[in-house]
Amino acid sequence: MSNEHENIARKDLIIGVITVSDTRDFDTDKGGKAVIAHLNDMDIKVDKAHYLIVKDDQHAILNAIQQLLNEHVDAIITTGGTGVAKRDVTIEVVKSVIDKEMEGFGEIFRFLSYTEDVGPRAILSRALCGTKDRTVIFSIPGSVGAVNLAMTKLITQQIHHIVHELNK
């Protein structure tokens, strides 16, 4: 099956990565590093200034997102803070920022999580994707398994196309 968008010239993407965690730092952040490794495999480099680790706190998450939006990144990928625990507030913050939600991302991520990773625990996942102006924001769980699944099966497959659509 031919993809009508295969021949679109791909722009060099500027991507921000935010890890949301009360316990991780730059040495122990396996999820954020996994995101960056997948991007590196696509020849997308994440500038050190665009890799942030913040606490599970609404203001800290919002400030990090706003900082990256102000730098006009093409995409923001957040890891962590997507569960159902009281401190898991990433999704609430991202929903307050985005203009449009792409519900299919979360639906497909949960389906893939169910079938390929964690089985029925997938119902706990609140993965989300949406847009703010010309930036796409992906919010995924922080576990390396979830990151690898989201990056391999969804984000790396569609990020160029989504950014193209946002900049038409």
Side-chain angles (χ1 to χ4, degrees):
M1 187 163 121
S2 176
N3 180 343
E4 67 179 277
H5 301 289
E6 279 176 1
N7 297 319
I8 295 171
R10 292 188 168 183
K11 72 177 274 197
D12 289 335
L13 300 181
I14 301 170
I15 299 183
V17 175
I18 302 170
T19 294
V20 178
S21 174
D22 287 335
T23 59
R24 300 286 183 220
D25 59 29
F26 290 105
D27 293 327
T28 61
D29 177 25
K30 294 179 183 174
K33 287 180 181 172
V35 169
I36 292 169
H38 283 281
L39 295 171
N40 284 338
D41 289 346
M42 297 177 66
D43 293 323
I44 298 171
K45 305 297 179 222
V46 176
D47 185 301
K48 285 185 180 183
H50 294 154
Y51 173 33
L52 310 171
I53 297 178
V54 300
K55 299 288 184 201
D56 281 300
D57 172 80
Q58 288 185 337
H59 296 294
I61 299 165
L62 181 60
N63 288 341
I65 292 170
Q66 291 296 347
Q67 175 185 331
L68 293 172
L69 289 172
N70 289 341
E71 294 180 25
H72 305 289
V73 297
D74 296 301
I76 298 170
I77 302 171
T78 74
T79 67
T82 62
V84 296
K86 185 174 186 167
R87 296 216 19 103
D88 290 328
V89 295
T90 302
I91 298 303
E92 287 72 22
V93 174
V94 172
K95 280 188 174 186
S96 77
V97 171
I98 61 175
D99 300 319
K100 295 181 181 180
E101 182 176 348
M102 289 185 270
E103 292 86 351
F105 176 83
E107 294 164 358
I108 294 170
F109 177 79
R110 282 181 286 281
F111 171 77
L112 293 170
S113 293
Y114 178 78
T115 59
E116 298 185 22
D117 193 22
V118 297
R121 286 186 302 160
I123 66 172
L124 297 171
S125 173
R126 298 187 310 135
L128 173 82
C129 178
T131 62
K132 174 64 177 173
D133 301 322
R134 292 183 176 202
T135 301
V136 58
I137 303 174
F138 299 94
S139 292
I140 58 178
S143 75
V144 173
V147 168
N148 289 337
L149 183 68
M151 293 300 294
T152 303
K153 299 283 186 162
L154 298 171
I155 296 173
T156 60
Q157 302 297 313
Q158 291 299 310
I159 195 164
H160 281 285
H161 178 65
I162 295 168
V163 170
H164 171 76
E165 290 294 312
L166 290 173
N167 286 281
K168 284 205 278 192

